[in-house]
């Protein structure tokens, strides 16, 4: 069946099986492998992408159910020239990346948070990432990274 998506600003027309998930389409059809497959059942958040601006688990979405949607993946956070987003830079600076498996999902969850709330409290950050599991337990550094972006944005 024919699926139309806008992925990181570019239109994509893809033939998909009726049961394909958005995660399958992104990784297998569009070769956007930055989005990770962890549990494949909505528990770990490794597959988080933005669908029309909202952070969702791509492993839980039947691709055809989001036909016509605007999708943002971790690849879309970096400019065409390769410049990292402020949040990506902050993850590196704060040591918020260890093995990195959870990182794309966390970046997408937190990108959505910062768009909605440019000055989140630590509790709001914790709440936002409650569905993203970091097996390396780098939560303190991740929260510090988000805080530093919020401080930059607010000139503090
Ligand atoms: S792979 Fe989707 S939530 Fe774990
Ligand atoms: S950095 Fe390894 S799972 Fe989070």
């Amino acid at each position: 069946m024919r699926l139309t998506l806008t992925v990181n600003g570019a239109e994509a027309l893809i033939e998909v099986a009726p049961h394909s998930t958005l995660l399958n389409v992104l990784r297998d059809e569009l070769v956007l492998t930055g989005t990770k497959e962890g549990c494949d059942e909505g528990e770990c958040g490794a597959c988080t992408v933005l669908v029309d601006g909202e952070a969702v688990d791509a492993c839980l979405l039947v691709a055809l159910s989001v036909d016509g949607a605007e999708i943002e993946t971790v690849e879309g956070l970096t400019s065409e020239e390769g410049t990292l987003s402020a949040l990506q830079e902050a993850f590196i600076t704060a040591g918020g990346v260890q093995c990195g498996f959870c990182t794309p999902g966390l970046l997408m969850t937190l990108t959505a948070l910062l768009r909605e709330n440019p000055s989140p409290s630590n509790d709001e950050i914790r709440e936002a990432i409650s569905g993203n599991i970091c097996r390396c337990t780098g939560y303190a550094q991740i929260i510090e990274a988000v805080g530093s972006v919020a401080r930059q944005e607010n000139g503090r």
Side-chain angles (χ1 to χ4, degrees):
M1 301 179 82
R2 177 61 64 92
L3 171 69
T4 307
L5 297 172
T6 301
V7 182
N8 300 327
E11 191 175 68
L13 302 174
I14 315 131
E15 284 294 327
V16 297
H19 59 270
S20 290
T21 65
L22 179 59
L23 181 60
N24 298 148
V25 168
L26 292 172
R27 287 183 55 85
D28 303 337
E29 305 298 330
L30 299 177
V31 200
L32 292 169
T33 53
T35 303
K36 298 304 179 213
E37 180 172 3
C39 65
D40 212 21
E41 54 186 29
E43 296 293 333
C44 74
C47 64
T48 306
V49 298
L50 306 190
V51 175
D52 293 332
E54 188 182 338
V56 297
D57 294 330
C59 71
L60 292 183
L61 280 180
V62 171
L64 288 169
S65 74
V66 294
D67 189 31
E70 183 130 356
I71 312 295
E72 293 169 77
T73 71
V74 69
E75 288 87 352
L77 297 183
T78 305
S79 75
E80 281 180 18
E81 298 74 42
T83 306
L84 299 179
S85 72
L87 184 61
Q88 287 173 304
E89 288 286 2
F91 261 60
I92 295 168
T93 304
V97 182
Q98 293 174 67
C99 80
F101 193 80
C102 69
T103 308
L106 277 159
L107 288 168
M108 299 318 291
T109 296
L110 291 165
T111 295
L113 172 70
L114 286 167
R115 283 181 190 165
E116 191 180 325
N117 177 3
S119 297
S121 66
N122 285 355
D123 281 349
E124 287 169 330
I125 297 167
R126 279 192 203 96
E127 164 83 25
I129 63 172
S130 59
N132 292 82
I133 294 172
C134 175
R135 289 185 172 77
C136 302
T137 66
Y139 296 108
Q141 297 94 311
I142 290 162
I143 290 167
E144 165 53 28
V146 182
S148 76
V149 172
R151 288 192 295 277
Q152 280 170 40
E153 294 293 317
N154 294 300
R156 286 184 272 141

